[in-house]
Structure formats: C-alpha cells, structure tokens
Amino acid sequence: DSGVTQTPKHLITATGQRVTLRCSPRSGDLSVYWYQQSLDQGLQFLIQYYNGEERAKGNILERFSAQQFPDLHSELNLSSLELGDSALYFCASSTRWSGEPNEQFFGPGTRLTVL
Amino acid sequence: GEDVEQSLFLSVREGDSSVINCTYTDSSSTYLYWYKQEPGAGLQLLTYIFSNMDMKQDQRLTVLLNKKDKHLSLRIADTQTGDSAIYFCAEGLPHSSASKIIFGSGTRLSIRP
C-alpha cells in the first residue's frame, strides 16, 4: 500500500459527460501528479501540483483540468468526454516539488470507461 | 525532445536472468528510474541511478547506464514468477520549478516455467 488513495476505482460514463477523479496523497507529501495510462499511448504525464499551485504541465487536453485543495487532496476534472479518453488515470505523490531523486508514490488508479 | 523507448514484451524462463533495455533522449537527465507495475496496481519505484554512475546493484537488481549512448538496462537475476509485471523506465528532467518524470511505454515481463 503506497499510502495514496484514489476514488472511484471504476467509472463508466457516456460521451459528452463530465467526471471528477479524486486523489489523496501520502501523509506529508505536498506534490501531486496525474498520469493517463492507455494501451496505445503508454503512461502520459498530465499535470503536477505542489501545495496548491500548478508546477508542471504535460500532455493535458484543454477539456481536462485539475486542482489541489488546501488539505492537499487533488481532483482531475474531465469534460466533454470522448471514447478515446477511456484509460487508467493514476495519481502519484512525492515530498519534492523540484529536484531529484524524485520518488513518486502511485495510487491504485481509476479506470474510466467512456461508452 | 523528451522520449523514452523500451521494447513492449520480454519472456524468460524461471530462474534465468531478465534484461530489460531502455533508451532515452534527453542528455540533461540527472536521474533515471525503474518502476514496476503489478497487475491491477499502480507503479512502484524499484530503483534509480544517478547519471554520473555506470552501475548500481541492489540484491537481485542490477542497473547499467551508458550515458554516451543514452542506454539504460535493468537486469533481474534468478527471475521468479513474482517478477511478472510491467517494468517502466523513466528519466527525470531537471527543472527549477517542477519535477517532471517521463516514462517509457513499459516492458511486460512474463515468466515461463
């Protein structure tokens, strides 16, 4: 158990809908990262937050947004969903906001299926 | 550019050594990582190596780094059925205000009896 929790475990929705994925980092970790894992794209970095502020952006679509709250949990919002958004979404946390080595602790993931 | 490449599949016999290879593109990477993903789980850090090192050994795991060729490998000695997983190579990109890791597509290791 990494100490990172993600809810829900599974989510099935329809195209055009909007969903929110939730992540609680390990106790004491201030950085939260979101990743998308799909069969054809591998593991893609989406976005990083540190202590409530956005720190780095990867291949995140404009239809997606995220935020980190004062209690450090984070939410990833996916809107106008398309079939291609079906994937595993992972959250990870770490103590660092920059610099290395950067050990990231991954949650179990949320499997999103868009029908 | 930022790109990490690995082969998708590797099959080895139980008890043999497994060697998983990876190439990366960013010469400014300071740390290189190996993560393991077991079925139905998130990724877990196995080991990492600093870019000025050639080799790092940790029990059954040996990491070799050829910085000139930007080639990284992970050797698992005496491979066991519990080693069946997807192994991700990743490079850490130094940045003053963020901490970004680029992952490869993962190598699925399967073990033959």
Side-chain angles (χ1 to χ4, degrees), chain A residues 58-76:
Chain A
N59 301 322
I60 187 165
L61 300 171
E62 283 193 18
R63 299 184 285 111
F64 296 1
S65 65
Q67 54 184 324
Q68 187 180 28
F69 295 86
D71 68 352
L72 301 177
H73 90 272
S74 178
E75 292 181 357
L76 179 68

Side-chain angles (χ1 to χ4, degrees), chain A residues 5-95:
Chain A
T5 60
Q6 290 186 248
T7 56
K9 270 189 99 164
H10 302 275
L11 199 47
I12 301 174
T13 188
T15 54
Q17 294 299 304
R18 181 179 192 275
V19 297
T20 297
L21 312 184
R22 196 180 195 276
C23 167
S24 292
R26 273 188 340 154
S27 177
D29 283 356
L30 298 178
S31 263
V32 168
Y33 309 79
W34 285 99
Y35 293 88
Q36 180 192 56
Q37 186 180 32
S38 57
L39 282 174
D40 58 341
Q41 295 270 331
L43 192 67
Q44 300 282 316
F45 166 71
L46 296 178
I47 198 163
Q48 176 202 2
Y49 278 83
Y50 178 82
N51 205 19
E53 289 188 17
E54 182 185 305
R55 283 293 180 182
K57 247 181 176 174
N59 301 322
I60 187 165
L61 300 171
E62 283 193 18
R63 299 184 285 111
F64 296 1
S65 65
Q67 54 184 324
Q68 187 180 28
F69 295 86
D71 68 352
L72 301 177
H73 90 272
S74 178
E75 292 181 357
L76 179 68
N77 301 296
L78 316 175
S79 61
S80 303
L81 284 167
E82 302 174 0
L83 295 177
D85 297 328
S86 295
L88 258 175
Y89 290 85
F90 286 106
C91 166
S93 73
S94 73
T95 54

Side-chain angles (χ1 to χ4, degrees), chain B residues 9-18 78-85 108-113:
Chain B
F9 301 99
L10 178 66
S11 175
V12 300
R13 200 186 309 273
E14 188 176 0
D16 286 352
S17 291
S18 306
D78 187 25
T79 309
Q80 303 298 309
T81 53
D83 296 323
S84 292
R108 185 180 294 275
L109 175 64
S110 60
I111 316 301
R112 306 191 301 272

Side-chain angles (χ1 to χ4, degrees), chain B residues 6-109:
Chain B
Q6 333 174 210
S7 53
L8 291 179
F9 301 99
L10 178 66
S11 175
V12 300
R13 200 186 309 273
E14 188 176 0
D16 286 352
S17 291
S18 306
V19 180
I20 304 171
N21 294 301
C22 165
T23 56
Y24 60 98
T25 54
D26 199 312
S27 57
S28 65
S29 295
T30 50
Y31 281 87
L32 294 131
Y33 304 84
W34 283 103
Y35 277 79
K36 176 183 181 182
Q37 183 182 26
E38 294 184 355
L43 281 70
Q44 180 183 13
L45 180 66
L46 272 181
T47 187
Y48 60 82
I49 186 168
F50 186 49
S51 58
N52 70 352
M53 294 170 63
D54 297 324
M55 186 181 90
K56 181 178 179 182
Q57 187 148 4
D58 184 2
Q59 298 183 330
R60 291 191 298 122
L61 304 178
T62 303
V63 178
L64 294 178
L65 175 60
N66 181 331
K67 197 172 180 184
K68 176 175 163 287
D69 294 338
K70 300 192 190 72
H71 182 268
L72 184 72
S73 68
L74 174 70
R75 179 176 179 268
I76 305 172
D78 187 25
T79 309
Q80 303 298 309
T81 53
D83 296 323
S84 292
I86 303 175
Y87 291 82
F88 290 88
C89 169
E91 60 173 343
L93 301 181
H95 193 288
S96 60
S97 63
S99 193
K100 195 171 168 186
I101 295 180
I102 303 299
F103 287 85
S105 54
T107 299
R108 185 180 294 275
L109 175 64

